[in-house]
Amino acid sequence: MKPAGRGPAARLTADFSKVLVVGKSSINRVVVSKIVEKSGLKPISESPETAEKALAGLVPGAIILDGGPDDKDCDGLLSGIDALRRASDRAQPSVILLSTRNGTPDSLGLSSVIDAVVAKPITPERLQPVIERLVGRG
């Protein structure tokens, strides 16, 4: 994290060159990381268990969460991500959920922390434009 000051009013600045890729499946993390690299960004691959520690050391421009079979694999990270977003200037990092279902975060009843949903199977044609749109708005 990069505090832009000291004390409770300190704001965090996201590093828009990095994308945190989180999921239980190492194969899915590799596939998603390759797509992130095609966007010219640096992926940081973590399991849900190690992602919280990674987030303590950096604020990426975006986070991609693999929801697993029930979209709940990364639910334990949502409150920490929400706190990061509240501490940043512009609700960063952006969050993409890889889901088994089609829809929007609202239509799927997902956390307000989720900015976009990309339905599986994950392909560069589906995921890359979403990454570029969300990281580009930073």
Side-chain angles (χ1 to χ4, degrees):
M1 288 187 232
K2 298 176 196 148
R6 299 240 186 266
R11 290 300 209 191
L12 302 176
T13 304
D15 182 343
F16 292 99
S17 69
K18 295 182 177 148
V19 175
L20 181 63
V21 178
V22 183
K24 287 186 177 180
S25 165
S26 59
I27 294 169
N28 285 357
R29 290 195 316 258
V30 168
V31 169
V32 172
S33 292
K34 294 288 185 199
I35 295 170
V36 167
E37 287 173 346
K38 285 183 180 180
S39 295
L41 303 167
K42 181 179 186 324
I44 299 159
S45 177
E46 298 285 345
S47 70
E49 296 77 27
T50 61
E52 197 166 347
K53 188 174 182 180
L55 281 172
L58 84 132
V59 180
I63 300 173
I64 301 174
L65 303 174
D66 182 350
D70 60 1
D71 292 341
K72 305 238 179 265
D73 280 5
C74 297
D75 279 6
L77 297 171
L78 296 178
S79 63
I81 293 169
D82 188 40
L84 267 182
R85 288 167 61 113
R86 281 184 274 125
S88 77
D89 289 331
R90 288 183 259 155
Q92 295 296 332
S94 298
V95 180
I96 300 167
L97 177 70
L98 307 179
S99 176
T100 56
R101 304 178 292 167
N102 274 314
T104 65
D106 289 338
S107 72
L108 296 175
L110 298 170
S111 166
S112 61
V113 172
I114 307 296
D115 295 304
V117 176
V118 176
K120 295 177 183 178
I122 301 306
T123 64
E125 296 77 25
R126 286 185 186 175
L127 183 57
Q128 197 167 351
V130 177
I131 294 169
E132 291 171 359
R133 177 175 53 86
L134 290 177
V135 174
R137 77 176 188 196

